[in-house]
Structures are given as C-alpha cells and as structure tokens.
Amino acid sequence: MSLEISARAGRAASATTPLLACLVATGDGLPAALRELDKSLGGALRRSFDRRDFRGNRDETFHLVGGRKGPRRIVLVGMGSPKDRPAAVRRAAMLAARFAHRAGVGAMTIVAAGTPAAELEQLVIGAQLGGWEYTEMKTPPPEKDRRAPLESLVLLVDDVKAAAEPLRTGRAIGAGYDLARRLANSPGNVCTPELLTETARTIGKTHGLKVTVLGRKEMEKEKMGSFLCVAQATTQDPRLCAMEYRKGPKDQAPVVLVGKGLCFDTGGISIKPAERMEFMKFDMCGAAGVLGAMEAIARLGLAINVVGVFGATTNMPGSNAVKPGDIVTASSGKTIEIINTDAEGRLVLADVLHWVKRFKPAAVIDAATLTGACVVALGNTTTGALGNDDALMQEVIEASRRASEPAWQLPLTDEYKEQIKSVVADIKNTGGRAGGAITAAAFLNEFVEYPWVHLDIAGTAYTESDLTVMPVGATGVPVGTFVEVVRRRAS
Ligand code: BES
Ligand code: MN
Ligand code: ZN
C-alpha cells in the first residue's frame, strides 16, 4: 500500500478531485490560491473565514461541499500559529490525509502553491503518514462496504520542476517510515528475528548493501553471553544483523545506527503482568527504525558511509531460561549479575554495542524501547537522549527536532554508576526504581568506546491510544531522527 504522489501546476477552482485540502495558519484568512474557487462557490469559503466558522487553529478541520464543477468537496485544515512551520505543515498534512483516508475518497489534491521546498518535503512525509493504516491482518470487508484507500495525492504547486526534489526526498523518507511501521505493527508470531533479517537482506539486494547475519552459533563463538542469556528460552533463533551502506569516501569512518529488536518481551522469569502485555510486540521498534532509516538513506542515495545494526530475539520464560541471580559474561569480558530478567534490552545491546566497535565508528546512535521509567519521565511525545559526547548530543537533538520526533537530554554522570554496582559481579542489570532510564543508559555506557548517543523510545515508538494524527500502533519513530542525522552529515 503506497501513496502515489505527483505535483501539478494548476488552479484549485478547476481541479477535478474528490477532495481538495488547503492548509491554513491562524489569521491567514482566505488563501490567494482559493479566491477563484471561492467565487465559483458564491463566496462560501470567504464566509467561513469571515464568520470565524474556520479560524485556522491547530488541528481544526472544516469540511465543505464543492460546486457543480471543480473539487467535489473541500477541507480546510488549521496549522495554528506555528513557530516551526515545516513541522506544522507536516502535522496538518497528516490530518488532511487521515481525513481523506477515513472519507474513502481514494484520491486527494492539496493546495501547495508558494510552499518552500523544506515545507513541501514535510508535507509529502505527513501525507504518507496520515493516510497510513495497518490492515494486513484483516479480512477485507465485502465489496459493497469497501471504502477506497487513499492511493493518489496531487500537489498543486507554482513550479513543478522545483517541487521534484522535495517530492523525491519526501517519498524516500515516507517509504522508510512505512517499512518501520509495517514491521513494528506485525505481531510477534509474524515479525520474528528471522523476518527482520530477511527484510535486511531484501534491502541489501535492492540497494547494494553488504548484509551480515549472526545466529546463535556465531554469537556463541563471539562469547556474547549477555545477548544469549536473553535468547536462552526462545525457540526462535536470535539474530545479530549489520547492513553496510558505503557511498561515502573509502576511508570515511561510518555512522553506526543500532536498534533493540525484541520481537516480543514477556519479561522472562521476571514475567510482566498480563494487562497490556500485547504491546510488547513493539519492543522491536528500535530495529524497525534502523531498517526504515536504511531504506530511506539508500533511496536518498546519500554520499556517506552508514552501518545499520540490530540485535533481535524474544524474551521468554522457560525451564532453561536465565534466572535472577545468574551471572553471565558479556563479549567484552565484563560479568553481569541478572537481577531482573525483564531488563533484557540492555543485555542484548551490551554485546551489540561492543560488537560494533569493529566498524571504527565516527558515531554510534542506538534506539531502544528500553525503560518504562523513560515514559514516566518524559511521557509519550518526547524521546529520552543520553550519551557521552556533547557535540553529538546537540547534533542528534537538533536532528530529532527537524524530524518532528523531539528528543530531550537526560543526565548521564558518573554518580549513576553506583546504582549498577554488584556485590558478586562487575555490574548488575538493574539500578532500582530511581532514575531508571538513566541507570539503563549507565549500563549501556559500560560497553561503549566511541562517541555515542542512546535514544530511549519506549514512550514515543508506538501509541496505545488513537491520536489526532495517528492510529494506535507504531509511530515510525526514530526513522526521521536517524535520517536527519545522516543526511546533514552527508551534505
Ligand atoms: N521493553 C521494556 C520497556 C518498556 C516499557 C517499553 C514500557 C515500552 C513500554 C523493557 O525491556 C523493560 O521491561 N524494562 C523494565 C526495566 C526494569 C526491570 C529495570 C521496565 O522499564 O520496567
Ligand atoms: Mn523487558
Ligand atoms: Zn524490553
């Protein structure tokens, strides 16, 4: 299911479309591009502004029927008074596309005359995200009840040539989000470590990336006792996967993107409560983000070296499962006392973060649905960011802002190391209730030897409730952040 997007230079008044959308900021009044259409409707559009039936407030929509000719129906979408215009355009485009998707119109046209390239790109991304729904596992309704999914989008622009590049980049990034959301929404019995690596191989074949996959045996050879103890009681073979995209100078140190890929997290022997456990199929959103970002980066054709890596497995209880009190040895040689088998993401990442040292990275950014504590601290709209390098931190936070996936820094000072000291081993895998997102990052920090930022996406990678612009399920975070970091470095 992909949205076909094209740009056309034309008049709104004569657009024969089932739905014409126009994005309007507060106080803008009737947009110039709608004046002719307004006349043909006897001034109906102007009246809705003058009477303040539509004000252009954020997330406001106003729906009108069209005339005998031109658009069949019209929807005005408010952007409020945006500080960040590209972000506001993206959100309004999401809302417009979601409206079209729900109305079952099949095709829509968005007025984009005079929209600068950076905003046009965000409009294209937003439209793809807003019209998106996960329907793969549903039986389609009978023909007579079927509503047309949104399949075609036309942008009305002044300059079709100038629109070509933002359309291309917006589509590439949209495709990355699409892949990440599709994988993440797939249930644990479909989205297995195997499926994730098969997806990596497909991306590799399509775009010419070198793909390396380690299974249980290969990880045993690497002495990855930390990763493997999580995979001890699952029948699904765990996977460590690397995808090397090398379009930069030969000697250029790569950016390495790392994702947590827990295809399901039961908690293991420290089992989670039944309520809402089904959402733990989303515990692979970091890995899905890496795959989506690699897809987008390859489509963009950026001149840079990037390696996408993820560790994938399933956290299960069982008679052979790892237990609290067990001590395992990571590939770095450090010994870890297992306090809680539900703190499994950091155990997987410990060996993955040590392993990526072989790429001699310029920077490593990992994304993981790591802690409930991060959700308590920052809620569902902001990602937690922790790291060991101030410049890289600023770079990642700025990229997350450009991508409308805001991240906020949490402190990672040496004091937090105290909380993960173990009586019987080098470190332990939990640090108590206080500062849980930070002590998790402090644990990861024990395995890192390069400039590094960790993104805790536990609150932002998926939504458990329907949002104005998004259905329940995966949001696609952190695809945009990854892409923005990489493309800024490539330019
Ligand atoms: N995958 C969870 C974290 C999580 C929680 C993600 C809620 C999304 C929403 C992680 O593996 C986990 O279980 N973390 C524990 C750590 C604790 C045992 C120290 C947690 O946050 O409770
Ligand atoms: Mn867990
Ligand atoms: Zn987990």
Side-chain angles (χ1 to χ4, degrees):
M1 182 186 67
S2 92
L3 182 62
E4 205 183 297
I5 308 165
S6 59
R8 212 176 284 165
R11 293 149 46 230
S14 57
T16 46
T17 174
L19 179 68
L20 181 84
C22 190
L23 319 180
V24 186
T26 310
D28 271 5
L30 181 69
L34 293 187
R35 272 185 211 143
E36 189 192 346
L37 177 63
D38 177 55
K39 272 203 196 108
S40 77
L41 296 176
L45 289 170
R46 185 172 290 284
R47 281 197 299 281
S48 33
F49 280 90
D50 290 350
R51 291 171 177 164
R52 302 179 52 76
D53 291 334
F54 176 75
R55 301 172 185 217
N57 291 340
R58 186 172 187 264
D59 292 346
E60 183 186 1
T61 54
F62 192 75
H63 189 197
L64 297 85
V65 64
R68 269 183 234 289
K69 278 192 235 143
R72 241 177 108 97
R73 48 213 273 197
I74 299 143
V75 64
L76 304 172
V77 184
M79 293 193 286
S81 312
K83 270 196 236 125
D84 184 342
R85 185 107 189 163
V89 168
R90 175 183 175 129
R91 186 176 175 92
M94 286 169 94
L95 197 51
R98 198 168 193 212
F99 185 94
H101 180 70
R102 286 176 163 172
V105 288
M108 82 183 299
T109 297
I110 301 183
V111 179
T115 309
E119 291 174 27
L120 205 54
E121 180 191 86
Q122 292 302 311
L123 193 158
V124 169
I125 295 171
Q128 289 168 96
L129 290 176
W132 196 91
E133 197 190 355
Y134 181 71
T135 53
E136 253 122 286
M137 306 295 281
K138 283 203 188 223
T139 307
E143 193 75 49
K144 62 175 175 42
D145 301 333
R146 240 173 258 179
R147 306 211 115 200
L150 183 60
E151 273 170 350
S152 138
L153 169 66
V154 175
L155 304 176
L156 287 184
V157 299
D158 309 315
D159 185 346
V160 175
K161 257 205 188 136
E165 184 59 10
L167 244 72
R168 185 186 76 85
T169 55
R171 273 200 218 100
I173 296 168
Y177 272 112
D178 179 76
L179 175 63
R181 280 185 171 189
R182 203 147 33 78
L183 287 170
N185 278 324
S186 302
N189 58 334
V190 173
C191 184
T192 57
E194 171 89 41
L195 180 82
L196 292 179
T197 47
E198 282 316 304
T199 307
R201 285 194 205 280
T202 306
I203 294 173
K205 269 202 198 110
T206 313
H207 302 288
L209 281 69
K210 180 181 168 195
V211 177
T212 309
V213 179
L214 278 67
R216 204 187 291 270
K217 273 210 194 92
E218 292 79 15
M219 286 192 255
E220 275 164 6
K221 256 186 229 138
E222 299 280 338
K223 300 193 161 44
M224 296 186 169
S226 187
F227 188 149
L228 284 171
C229 84
V230 176
Q232 220 162 277
T234 173
T235 53
Q236 300 172 346
D237 204 29
R239 295 274 190 265
L240 197 171
C241 178
M243 322 160 64
E244 295 176 58
Y245 172 87
R246 296 196 183 268
K247 291 260 172 84
K250 247 202 151 81
D251 56 351
Q252 182 193 58
V255 174
V256 177
L257 309 174
V258 173
K260 169 180 173 182
L262 263 288
C263 291
F264 196 81
D265 178 12
T266 66
I269 294 298
S270 314
I271 200 159
K272 287 180 181 294
E275 191 149 347
R276 293 185 169 266
M277 204 210 268
E278 68 276 17
F279 287 105
M280 280 303 116
K281 73 173 183 179
F282 291 115
D283 213 17
M284 38 60 71
C285 280
V290 169
L291 285 160
M294 294 311 285
E295 171 75 28
I297 289 162
R299 282 184 189 229
L300 289 168
L302 300 173
I304 189 169
N305 297 333
V306 185
V307 185
V309 179
F310 59 84
T313 186
T314 305
N315 187 16
M316 295 292 284
S319 58
N320 59 335
V322 70
K323 313 173 289 299
D326 285 2
I327 297 175
V328 299
T329 307
S331 49
S332 71
K334 280 193 180 154
T335 57
I336 304 164
E337 182 191 7
I338 308 297
I339 302 295
N340 189 317
T341 66
D342 198 10
E344 85 298 337
R346 65 197 75 181
L347 294 171
V348 168
L349 288 175
D351 281 327
V352 176
L353 289 172
H354 178 71
W355 188 75
V356 300
K357 221 174 75 179
R358 69 188 52 223
F359 297 112
K360 302 188 171 59
V364 176
I365 308 163
D366 83 74
T369 46
L370 205 63
T371 66
C374 190
V375 190
V376 173
L378 296 173
N380 294 106
T381 48
T382 307
T383 293
L386 305 99
N388 62 7
D389 186 286
D390 287 340
L392 182 63
M393 177 60 71
Q394 286 324 306
E395 184 184 344
V396 173
I397 287 181
E398 176 53 26
S400 77
R401 190 197 56 75
R402 287 198 304 276
S404 293
E405 300 176 347
W408 197 264
Q409 186 178 7
L410 299 173
L412 183 55
T413 53
D414 287 342
E415 283 68 32
Y416 294 98
K417 287 185 182 179
E418 300 289 326
Q419 282 174 254
I420 53 166
K421 275 189 181 157
S422 164
V423 178
V424 289
D426 296 339
I427 48 173
K428 56 182 179 180
N429 82 329
T430 62
R433 273 178 57 81
I438 303 173
T439 51
F443 181 92
L444 299 180
N445 198 16
E446 295 289 323
F447 301 91
V448 160
E449 296 169 74
Y450 34 66
W452 161 72
V453 166
H454 157 64
L455 297 173
D456 195 328
I457 55 169
T460 51
Y462 66 94
T463 172
E464 297 187 11
S465 56
D466 189 271
L467 306 176
T468 308
V469 293
M470 240 177 290
V472 170
T475 61
V477 169
V479 169
T481 305
F482 279 162
V483 171
E484 285 302 320
V485 169
V486 169
R487 88 200 290 210
R488 186 58 60 106
R489 282 192 176 224
S491 62

